[in-house]
């Protein structure tokens, strides 16, 4: 039996397939679906044209929902059923969706075929990675999961895409998400910005306030990702598929292994149970930044109201400037309210308020004067490099890093940033450490 919802879908598709987006064209196309031009098709077409002066060829679901909500269609279906003459859909007319607008320089993806070609997938493979059947969430067989799961320190769940899905994420990051603009206040995972640019904005300030967001990636729901992609101009089917590829629902067996002492356990598990950005996927940092655009805009305005500067590095929010002690509580209360309103949650236990007499730390950098790595970290790395040159890299890899040499290279680059003296000393020690064990007398003198 034809329901209001199914009839709305059939008529919505028929209208979009019409040769002319005019009253006569819609009625003619609707008549082909029903096998006859019903009298009520005329007022139905008038209602559609009043709501959509231009054909919504990028949003067939929205059009179907609009039709289903019309009292006219409900009355038609109910009346036909009461007369014992239910309405029958005789044919289906479907036309491919189209991109109607491109606010940014993103690739044109009119339909799922275009998306499959972009990703070098068959339609069946695209359907598999979009997990239309919910296998990733429902099955206990880890071979059917798209992700590998690991609970990390602090109760974070790392959800790392398996190799083939990771390749798709990287392509989407480069070609689909790359052209989308992020807010100027966002510094984490943004080309040309870094922890140093984040910290530099707050260097030498009287007061620095750091606020941490709990479960940052998980707090971005799939529906917000979908809304972002629709804003970018992608048609509904394409936006749904992209959202499905870039978000996940954590399988129940994984949730059952959550640490018993997980902070805010019930809330965190509920977040992971629903569609969310997986921490560990290449696309998640970019999508989180894009979905936090309105949060950044509102917090920037809040900072201006307090005569402060505001920046964000991933889940770290920073405010700085002249802030009297009596106004600190007001600022934190306002920040908590704004973040909650935007779907995020403040980790109150990690909030820090530091004056000039304190060590002001942001993203691992001391900002009392200029952004700099704490001296203790520099001394520790120097000792490791010195010992590695004498005893070998393996002997100094106490944490068991799988790529210890690359780890040391990254640490040297991090500690050397904008610090020529440190850079020269560490570079000499790193060269000696990578060259292998040498006699003590041949080590660089520091």
């Amino acid at each position: 039996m034809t329901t209001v919802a199914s009839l709305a879908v059939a008529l919505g598709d028929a209208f979009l397939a019409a040769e002319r987006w005019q009253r006569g064209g819609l009625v003619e196309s609707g008549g082909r679906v029903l096998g006859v031009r019903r009298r009520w098709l005329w007022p139905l077409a008038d209602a559609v044209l009043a709501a959509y002066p231009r054909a919504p060829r990028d949003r067939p679901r929205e059009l179907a929902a609009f039709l289903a909500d019309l009292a006219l269609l409900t009355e038609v279906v109910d009346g036909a059923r009461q007369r014992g003459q239910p309405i029958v859909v005789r044919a289906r007319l479907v036309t491919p969706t189209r991109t109607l607008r491109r606010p940014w320089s993103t690739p044109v993806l009119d339909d799922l075929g275009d998306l499959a070609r972009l990703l070098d997938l068959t339609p069946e493979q695209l359907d598999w990675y979009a997990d239309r059947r919910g296998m990733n969430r429902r099955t206990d067989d880890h071979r059917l999961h798209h992700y590998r799961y690991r609970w990390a320190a602090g109760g974070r769940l790392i959800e790392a895409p398996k190799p083939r899905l990771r390749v798709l994420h990287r392509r989407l990051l480069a070609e689909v998400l790359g052209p989308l603009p992020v807010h100027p206040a966002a510094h984490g995972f943004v080309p040309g910005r870094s922890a140093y640019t984040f910290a530099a904005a707050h260097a030498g300030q009287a007061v620095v306030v750091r606020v941490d967001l709990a479960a940052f990636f998980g707090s971005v729901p799939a529906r917000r990702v979908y809304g972002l992609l629709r804003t970018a101009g992608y048609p509904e089917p394409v936006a749904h598929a992209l959202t499905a590829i870039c978000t996940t629902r954590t399988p129940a067996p994984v949730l059952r292994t959550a640490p018993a002492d997980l902070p805010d356990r019930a809330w965190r598990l509920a977040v992971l149970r629903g569609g969310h950005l997986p921490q560990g996927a290449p696309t998640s940092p970019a999508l989180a930044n894009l979905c936090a655009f309105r949060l950044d805009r509102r917090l920037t305005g809040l900072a201006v109201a307090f005569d402060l500067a505001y920046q964000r590095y991933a889940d770290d929010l920073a405010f700085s400037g002249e802030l009297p002690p009596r106004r600190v509580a007001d600022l934190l209360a306002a920040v908590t309210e704004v973040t909650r309103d935007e779907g995020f949650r403040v980790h109150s236990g990690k909030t820090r308020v530091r004056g000039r007499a304190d060590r002001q730390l942001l993203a691992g950098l001391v900002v009392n004067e200029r952004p700099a790595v704490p001296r203790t970290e520099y001394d520790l790395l120097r000792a490791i490099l010195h010992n590695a040159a004498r005893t070998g890299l393996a002997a100094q890899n106490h944490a068991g890093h799988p790529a210890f040499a690359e780890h040391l290279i990254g640490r040297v680059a991090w500690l050397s940033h904008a610090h020529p003296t440190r850079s020269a000393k560490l570079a000499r020690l790193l060269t000696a450490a990578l060259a292998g064990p040498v006699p003590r007398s041949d080590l660089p003198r520091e």
Side-chain angles (χ1 to χ4, degrees), residues 34-350:
L34 300 176
V36 61
R37 295 184 188 180
R38 304 278 185 178
R39 287 182 297 176
W40 47 264
L41 281 173
W42 297 95
L44 193 68
D46 292 338
V48 169
L49 292 172
Y52 298 95
R54 308 178 80 174
R57 302 193 188 281
D58 61 336
R59 43 208 157 123
R61 292 191 183 188
E62 180 185 308
L63 178 58
F66 170 80
L67 289 169
D69 285 341
L70 289 177
L72 171 61
L73 202 63
T74 300
E75 293 171 1
V76 165
V77 172
D78 289 345
R81 185 181 298 117
Q82 290 172 4
R83 293 191 302 271
Q85 300 174 334
I87 297 174
V88 178
V89 174
R90 304 291 182 183
R92 294 299 301 265
L93 303 179
V94 179
T95 186
T97 53
R98 286 216 318 254
T99 301
L100 296 185
R101 57 188 183 82
R102 291 173 62 214
W104 302 291
S105 300
T106 52
V108 176
L109 301 174
D110 285 330
D111 54 31
L112 294 180
D114 287 344
L115 178 58
R117 284 186 286 274
L118 175 74
L119 298 176
D120 291 329
L121 299 174
T122 65
E124 293 76 19
Q125 290 171 329
L126 178 62
D127 189 64
W128 166 252
Y129 286 112
D131 196 27
R132 294 285 183 85
R133 301 179 183 178
M135 296 294 291
N136 187 77
R137 181 179 78 257
R138 291 188 287 107
T139 184
D140 291 345
D141 188 344
H142 67 87
R143 293 173 298 178
L144 297 178
H145 290 162
H146 291 323
Y147 296 83
R148 293 190 175 97
Y149 303 92
R150 175 174 60 85
W151 291 98
R156 293 178 300 118
L157 177 63
I158 305 302
E159 300 178 289
K162 291 182 179 178
R164 293 189 65 185
L165 180 58
R166 180 173 291 273
V167 170
L168 300 184
H169 275 235
R170 285 176 175 157
R171 182 170 295 183
L172 292 175
L173 177 62
E175 300 190 33
V176 174
L177 303 179
L180 304 183
V182 300
H183 195 277
H187 288 259
F189 318 107
V190 179
R193 306 178 202 174
S194 66
Y196 279 92
T197 62
F198 166 67
H202 305 283
Q205 297 297 320
V207 176
V208 174
V209 178
R210 184 174 71 84
V211 178
D212 182 78
L213 298 179
F216 180 55
F217 293 119
S219 295
V220 179
R223 65 179 180 277
R224 181 168 290 189
V225 175
Y226 172 76
L228 165 73
L229 295 169
R230 286 289 296 124
T231 299
Y234 292 109
E236 284 178 341
V238 175
H240 275 291
L242 286 170
T243 300
I245 292 172
C246 294
T247 63
T248 187
R249 294 175 179 234
T250 308
V254 176
L255 296 178
R256 287 196 291 268
T257 65
D261 59 350
L262 184 67
D264 298 319
R265 196 173 194 275
W267 171 72
R268 288 177 183 266
L269 294 184
V271 164
L272 294 172
R273 195 174 293 116
H276 63 277
L277 292 180
Q279 183 166 352
T283 53
S284 290
L287 283 169
N289 275 338
L290 292 165
C291 290
F293 190 98
R294 193 169 64 180
L295 171 71
D296 289 330
R297 185 176 61 188
R298 293 183 64 182
L299 290 180
T300 298
L302 179 65
V304 169
F306 279 81
D307 198 23
L308 301 172
Y310 163 74
Q311 309 291 330
R312 179 178 58 81
Y313 188 86
D315 55 0
D316 277 349
L317 315 178
F319 300 82
S320 66
E322 299 287 342
L323 184 65
R326 58 183 174 78
R327 299 209 70 193
V328 170
D330 294 337
L331 172 67
L332 294 178
V335 170
T336 300
E337 182 180 352
V338 169
T339 53
R340 184 191 302 117
D341 192 41
E342 290 300 322
F344 297 95
R345 177 181 289 202
V346 168
H347 194 311
S348 57
K350 293 187 177 181

